């Protein structure tokens, strides 16, 4: 059984054009959440908290995953991709050797709630060609639990309560990412089996996890390797984002939106961007 090893508290910060977010990231956490680099949560019904969005900016050396719970976000990139994702939709973008993109709220009022994850690329793939795909909510496999909860499988594969297997729609990736959205009713128990050789990350969106593995809203639990992840919701239930992947265990050198393995590679990315050679 997986064991809870550490809890990371998300911290409030700003990014983009003044967008208020809750973030889990930083060099002190790199080894714990590897191959992920960052988790950002936007959750506000105040337009001033999000209306500035994320105007055009570059990336190199990683993948970005945007997942919406409420509201709508428009994506544009230098490859000509453009589209709006809404509740339950996912945008999966591979920056590779370089991408220019923007993500702007497609609304002027109401609740905007979503996540952006940064997923590292191994050294051998950091300079691969950029790519983009969106996944619509209707295409994401899900299982409704007999006790009232629900599991939606965005990426990877999971066995639920030793009975049902769910598999995401993404093809196999080197980092073997698992990404699932889980809702549990009050005091509900759940047993999940996935990526047994790699750690698991559990972020509490709403409610709380109870028992020995208690985790509060806005925090991420780091669980050990293991065959089973056993979770118990608190009295108000729990909404969770569950992640896992194959740790790369490679050096990480980051400068803003560029994530490489050496300072020389970062300097090259900065120079390429300034000289118009990033894309």
């Amino acid at each position: 059984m997986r064991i809870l090893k550490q809890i990371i508290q998300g911290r409030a910060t700003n990014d983009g054009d003044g967008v208020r977010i809750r973030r889990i990231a930083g060099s002190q956490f790199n080894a714990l959440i590897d191959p992920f680099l960052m988790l950002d949560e936007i959750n506000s019904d105040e337009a001033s908290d999000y209306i500035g969005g994320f105007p055009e900016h570059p990336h190199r050396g990683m993948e970005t995953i945007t997942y919406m719970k409420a509201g709508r976000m428009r994506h544009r990139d230098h490859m000509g991709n453009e589209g709006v994702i809404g509740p339950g939709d996912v945008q999966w973008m591979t920056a590779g050797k370089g991408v220019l993109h923007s993500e702007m709220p497609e609304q002027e009022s109401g609740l905007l709630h979503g996540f952006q994850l940064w997923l590292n690329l191994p050294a051998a793939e950091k300079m691969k060609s950029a790519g983009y795909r969106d996944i619509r909510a209707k295409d994401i496999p899900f299982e409704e639990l007999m006790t009232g909860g629900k599991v939606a499988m965005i990426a990877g594969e999971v066995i639920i309560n030793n009975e049902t297997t769910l598999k995401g729609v993404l093809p196999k990736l080197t980092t073997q990412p698992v990404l699932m959205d889980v809702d549990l009713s009050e005091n509900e128990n759940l047993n999940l089996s996935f990526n047994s050789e790699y750690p698991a990350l559990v972020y509490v969106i709403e409610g709380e996890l109870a028992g020995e593995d208690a985790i509060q809203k806005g925090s991420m639990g780091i669980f050990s390797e293991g065959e089973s992840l056993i979770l118990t919701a608190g009295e108000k239930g729990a909404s969770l984002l569950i992640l896992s992947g194959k740790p790369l265990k490679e050096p990480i050198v980051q400068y803003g939106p560029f994530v490489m393995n050496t300072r020389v590679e970062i300097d090259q990315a900065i120079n390429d961007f300034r000289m118009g050679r990033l894309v």
Side-chain angles (χ1 to χ4, degrees):
M1 190 171 70
R2 295 182 186 267
I3 298 170
L4 179 61
K5 298 169 64 178
Q6 187 170 337
I7 296 175
I8 301 173
Q9 179 69 44
R11 61 180 179 85
T13 186
N14 296 323
D15 206 340
D17 188 8
V19 179
R20 295 184 63 181
I21 58 177
R22 181 182 295 273
R23 170 170 289 173
I24 292 176
S27 58
Q28 69 271 39
F29 301 134
N30 282 343
L32 292 173
I33 66 176
D34 186 13
F36 294 93
L37 298 159
M38 183 187 78
L39 182 149
D40 278 356
E41 179 181 17
I42 305 172
N43 188 4
S44 179
D45 57 8
E46 293 289 339
S48 59
D49 289 343
Y50 61 73
I51 199 66
F54 304 90
E56 186 175 80
H57 57 280
H59 286 290
R60 174 177 279 182
M62 30 75 81
E63 297 186 286
T64 67
I65 305 155
T66 304
Y67 176 49
M68 299 302 297
K69 295 283 284 182
R72 301 165 77 236
M73 189 79 77
R74 179 176 294 276
H75 164 93
R76 290 188 177 95
D77 64 42
H78 80 278
M79 297 176 285
N81 299 303
E82 181 175 351
V84 176
I85 55 174
D89 295 338
V90 179
Q91 168 198 294
W92 198 293
M93 187 184 73
T94 301
K97 63 183 179 182
V99 71
L100 292 173
H101 81 139
S102 62
E103 292 175 292
M104 301 299 292
E106 190 72 5
Q107 60 190 68
E108 296 181 357
S109 62
L111 176 63
L112 184 70
H113 188 192
F115 297 87
Q116 183 162 103
L117 294 158
W118 285 14
L119 177 60
N120 205 1
L121 284 171
E125 297 180 15
K126 284 189 175 295
M127 296 297 285
K128 69 192 294 185
S129 297
Y132 169 88
R133 68 178 296 171
D134 56 31
I135 306 168
R136 296 299 165 179
K138 64 181 179 62
D139 298 321
I140 295 175
F142 69 91
E143 178 74 11
E144 293 184 346
L145 308 176
M146 294 181 64
T147 45
K150 178 181 175 181
V151 178
M153 198 69 193
I154 298 166
E157 184 174 324
V158 65
I159 301 173
I160 303 169
N161 291 330
N162 299 312
E163 295 178 349
T164 305
T165 299
L166 277 184
K167 188 174 182 180
V169 298
L170 284 171
K172 187 174 181 180
L173 302 174
T174 303
T175 47
Q176 300 178 36
V178 165
L179 174 55
M180 67 185 94
D181 185 346
V182 175
D183 287 313
L184 299 178
S185 56
E186 61 276 8
N187 303 314
E188 186 173 15
N189 295 307
L190 181 64
N191 185 340
L192 300 172
S193 298
F194 58 92
N195 269 24
S196 61
E197 298 179 0
Y198 312 131
L201 316 177
V202 179
Y203 182 78
V204 179
I205 305 169
E206 296 289 346
E208 64 180 2
L209 291 177
E212 295 182 2
D213 296 336
I215 306 173
Q216 303 299 313
K217 175 181 176 180
S219 297
M220 174 184 284
I222 311 297
F223 287 81
S224 68
E225 302 85 351
E227 292 293 335
S228 297
L229 176 63
I230 298 176
L231 304 171
T232 302
E235 294 182 355
K236 296 182 179 180
S239 178
L240 314 168
L241 204 60
I242 300 180
L243 317 171
S244 183
K246 180 181 180 180
L248 297 177
K249 299 180 180 180
E250 295 178 347
I252 296 173
V253 182
Q254 180 179 350
Y255 180 83
F258 305 137
V259 183
M260 304 301 289
N261 299 107
T262 69
R263 182 66 210 188
V264 170
E265 291 171 330
I266 287 292
D267 290 342
Q268 184 64 57
I270 295 170
N271 189 56
D272 286 346
F273 176 60
R274 288 174 175 170
M275 301 298 293
R277 297 193 299 258
L278 188 77
V279 300

